[in-house]
Every structure is written in structure tokens, then in C-alpha cells.
Amino acid sequence: MINGTKAVDRALRWGMVGGGGTSQIGYIHRSAALRDGNFRLLAGAFDIDAERGRAFGTSLGVAAERCYPDYETLFAAEAAREDGIEAVSVATPNNTHFAICRAALNAGLHVVCEKPLCFTTQEADELERLCKAKNKLIGVTYGYAGHQLIQQAREMIAQGMLGEIRIVNMQFAHGFHHEAVELQNLSTRWRVDPRFVGPSYVLGDLATHPLFLAETMAPQLKVKRLLCSRQSFIASRAPLEDNAFVMMEYDNGAVGTLWASAVNCGSMHGQKIRIVGAKASLEWWDEQPNQLRYEVQGEPVRILERGMPYLTPRALEEDRIGGGHPEGLFEAWSNLYRRFAQAFAASDRGDTAFLQTFWYPDVHAGLAGVRWVEQCVKSADAGAVWVEC
């Protein structure tokens, strides 16, 4: 069911921190936010180089006087305007996320933040408390969680079609950093520098994506404890890992495994999730995002296709084009931004009833990811021991 109606009554006045001309992730944010007309880009601090940021912002149609040299100036100047921005997206290196999110909330703005939300549980707790104090929201861009077949899986599990969940198998293992590519590539270099990314590389950068997919599909499962082993196959990346294995035990007795890697030679992306129940299993792979495998023991495999009328109404709400046409990353991100707009608008009108049942990757999802990475690092650094979650 293709739904072309606007999600909110008017476009939210929106700005960006980071995401300049050479930023791939900035382009994805803008494409997703602007696609449905729920956001209107009016201001930004797009680049660490103020002149370059101004030139880029004006090329996007942002007024020159609203292209600011830094986020502090952006928030202060926009707060003084009657038509100032209402929401901001943060697309900057990881080590800046906490300070920018905190400043944005204090300036009375809703926030969309790249993950990880911050580096420590204490920082994430502070942001969660600040959201409540300022009555503002944070959305976290776990991008593929916006794909409609993830919602289909969530509904099937909620309906009991898999039975009691026993096993969750997750991976995000590509091969593009099997060599020290950071020596020639500046956009990769900061990702393997603890000063910019904190205590982990692939655990924080990759593993939290399938982890959140599992949490979205089966929200009833809570990780009780975990064991992590991590490796630095490119020695210069130590103490950050470029490969990691995590074993998890859930509170209902289920078990989970997660493999995160940047040295899986030959793999293009390698983000997969398989959830095994007592009755059946589901499997989804982001390189073939339009198919969800549904497997019942002793019966032929069913391939559920995106956009088909046999999917649940919840999944079909995310439909953008008819079945058979390929959808992927941009559609999933657009669905998340549509949900962010709906959540922000509901918060501004005080609609707490709507927010109680409305799903989107929120500040608590960001906090959960930060806490999980912390526990993985704690486990690995103690010699791959079990730690409580």
C-alpha cells in the first residue's frame, strides 16, 4: 500500500552539523530527510572549514547568512530567529556526537544523530535525562531498521509465527578494510583512531546495526550477559579491533551470536540476521533487502517479497513503490526520517499517547548500543570472559 501523504502537517525547519560536500553520509541524510517534504533544510554548520561549508550550503540553497562556522554559532543564531530551526541532524565524527547532541537539546532542538550516540553509558544516560528535561527527542540512524521487511519480521514474531525464540544469529562483515586502507584514505583514517571513535572500531561502527535489527524484530528479548573476543588483524589498528565475535545469552534462555568484521575478504557488505524459533525461522540480508526468508521445518522455503499484499499492514505502511521494484538503503533511511518527523511533531504538540506506541530508533536505542559496546570491550579486554548486561 503506497502512502504518498505527508506524515506531518508542515515541514519541520531543519539544520545540519557536518555532512559537507565530500560526506557520503551527509548526502544520505539529506536525501532521506528531504524526500517526503517533512523537513526543510534552512541552516547548517556543514564543514570544519567555514568558507568551504558556506560555499557548500549555498549550493544547496541555504542562505549564506545561515551557513555557520560551527555548531555553537548555529544553535545560538537560530534560537534568536522567529523562523529558527526546530531540528538538527548530526553527521560528524563519533567523538563530537555527545557535545553536539547535548548543545542541541539545550538549545531546544530535536536531534537526529549518527551512531554511536556517544562513547559511554554515562554520556548516553545524560542525553536521555536531558531529552526528558527539555521535552525533546533524539532519533538514531540505524538505517536499515527502516526497511519494510524488518517491520514484517517484527509483526510475524509478535504473532507467534516463529514460536519461542531460541537462536539469534547476526553479522555485519565486509572486506573493504582487509588492508591498511586508512594510510591512503582520510575518510577511513578517523574510523580507526581511538581519539575519534572511542574504545572500538567494528563493534561500534558495524555490530550495533544488526544488533538493533534483532532488537527491532524481537523487542521482547533482552541480553542478559555476553562474551566478546576481538582481534586487530591490521596491527596498526590496535587497540581497536577490525574483527570481533560476540556470544550472548538472553533472558528467556535464547542464545545469540554476532560477527563483526572489516577484513572479511571478498564480502561486499555482509549484514545478515537470522532468527530461529521453535516453529520456524526468518532470515534477512541487506544485499538482497527485498526478500525475507520464512522457513518452516519440513515445508518449502517461502520467500516473502517487499510490496506484496500478503505482508502485514504495518510492513505495507513503509511501501514506496510497487512490488518487484528494488528498494534499499535510501528508502529505509527515508522511512526513518518520516518516523522522526512524526515523533518530533507529536512531541511538540504534547501527544504522549501517540509516542507511547510509536516505534522509531530513539535515544534509548542509542543508549543500549553504547552500553552493549562497552560490555563487549570489557569482556574482550578481560580475556573473553562472560560479563553481565
Side-chain angles (χ1 to χ4, degrees):
M1 180 181 65
I2 300 172
N3 184 357
T5 61
K6 282 180 64 65
V8 291
D9 292 338
R10 61 173 180 81
L12 298 175
R13 300 188 299 275
W14 176 58
M16 289 194 74
V17 179
T22 60
S23 168
Q24 173 180 265
I25 204 68
Y27 174 72
I28 295 171
H29 275 276
R30 286 187 295 276
S31 297
L34 300 175
R35 186 168 188 170
D36 296 332
N38 296 317
F39 292 88
R40 182 183 175 200
L41 183 60
L42 295 176
F46 298 103
D47 200 300
I48 196 168
D49 182 306
E51 289 303 316
R52 189 168 60 200
R54 182 178 296 108
F56 177 69
T58 56
S59 76
L60 296 176
V62 177
E65 68 272 15
R66 299 180 78 172
C67 297
Y68 300 98
D70 52 64
Y71 71 87
E72 295 99 334
T73 308
L74 164 67
F75 296 159
E78 289 296 309
R81 299 178 62 111
E82 287 189 8
D83 63 346
I85 60 172
E86 302 164 282
V88 66
S89 290
V90 180
T92 56
N94 299 357
N95 64 318
T96 65
H97 291 177
F98 172 68
I100 298 173
C101 286
R102 181 174 59 182
L105 291 170
N106 280 321
L109 299 173
H110 296 294
V111 183
V112 175
C113 186
E114 271 296 305
K115 56 99 207 95
L117 183 60
C118 47
F119 284 168
T120 69
T121 298
Q122 289 77 15
E123 290 176 342
D125 282 335
E126 181 176 341
L127 292 178
E128 190 171 45
R129 289 192 298 269
L130 196 55
C131 283
K132 294 177 181 177
K134 298 295 183 180
N135 197 29
K136 297 298 173 182
L137 304 179
I138 291 179
V140 182
T141 50
Y142 289 114
Y144 275 110
H147 198 280
Q148 68 169 259
L149 288 182
I150 303 303
Q151 296 300 320
Q152 173 69 20
R154 179 185 178 98
E155 292 293 298
M156 292 173 70
I157 292 170
Q159 293 169 14
M161 295 177 68
L162 271 63
E164 184 178 13
I165 303 304
R166 294 174 171 173
I167 301 167
V168 183
N169 180 244
M170 298 158 277
Q171 73 171 60
F172 196 159
H174 68 73
F176 287 100
H177 296 171
H178 72 287
E179 297 177 330
V181 295
E182 60 269 20
L183 299 181
Q184 288 79 38
N185 190 326
L186 289 175
S187 65
T188 301
R189 190 173 302 170
W190 69 267
R191 295 182 182 274
V192 296
D193 187 333
R195 295 173 299 172
F196 294 96
V197 300
S200 77
Y201 168 30
V202 296
L203 286 166
D205 194 44
L206 302 181
T208 51
H209 281 287
L211 181 73
F212 185 69
L213 291 183
E215 292 173 357
T216 300
M217 291 178 172
Q220 73 274 24
L221 297 183
K222 307 299 178 187
V223 179
K224 184 172 67 174
R225 64 176 189 155
L226 61 80
L227 181 152
C228 176
S229 172
R230 61 177 182 160
Q231 299 77 39
S232 306
F233 284 107
I234 305 300
S236 60
R237 292 173 182 161
L240 301 187
E241 78 290 339
D242 49 25
N243 190 83
F245 299 97
V246 185
M247 296 177 61
M248 288 168 280
E249 293 180 352
Y250 293 94
D251 57 359
N252 74 328
V255 295
T257 61
L258 196 154
W259 174 32
S261 183
V263 296
N264 181 20
C265 290
S267 173
M268 288 296 295
H269 215 224
Q271 183 177 196
K272 296 181 181 180
I273 179 167
R274 182 177 179 86
I275 298 186
V276 181
K279 297 179 181 179
S281 302
L282 288 172
E283 184 171 300
W284 184 82
W285 179 19
D286 75 354
E287 292 178 37
Q288 298 177 1
N290 292 312
Q291 288 82 41
L292 178 67
R293 291 177 64 94
Y294 175 46
E295 304 171 4
V296 180
Q297 189 65 37
E299 299 181 9
V301 173
R302 297 168 175 83
I303 303 297
L304 307 183
E305 292 280 352
R306 186 208 59 76
M308 296 304 292
Y310 51 69
L311 300 182
T312 66
R314 175 75 175 268
L316 292 174
E317 286 178 4
E318 311 289 4
D319 229 5
R320 290 182 173 270
I321 53 176
H325 297 287
E327 284 190 0
L329 180 140
F330 283 99
E331 289 77 16
W333 275 70
S334 297
N335 287 336
L336 285 187
Y337 260 96
R338 188 174 190 270
R339 288 179 171 272
F340 294 152
Q342 290 174 282
F344 295 168
S347 175
D348 288 343
R349 66 176 182 266
D351 193 345
T352 56
F354 177 86
L355 290 171
Q356 284 175 355
T357 59
F358 186 69
W359 174 88
Y360 69 100
D362 61 4
V363 66
H364 185 73
L367 187 158
V370 171
R371 180 183 292 123
W372 184 85
V373 171
E374 275 187 345
Q375 296 305 96
C376 286
V377 171
K378 180 180 177 181
S379 169
D381 289 356
V385 300
W386 286 98
V387 297
E388 299 296 318
C389 291

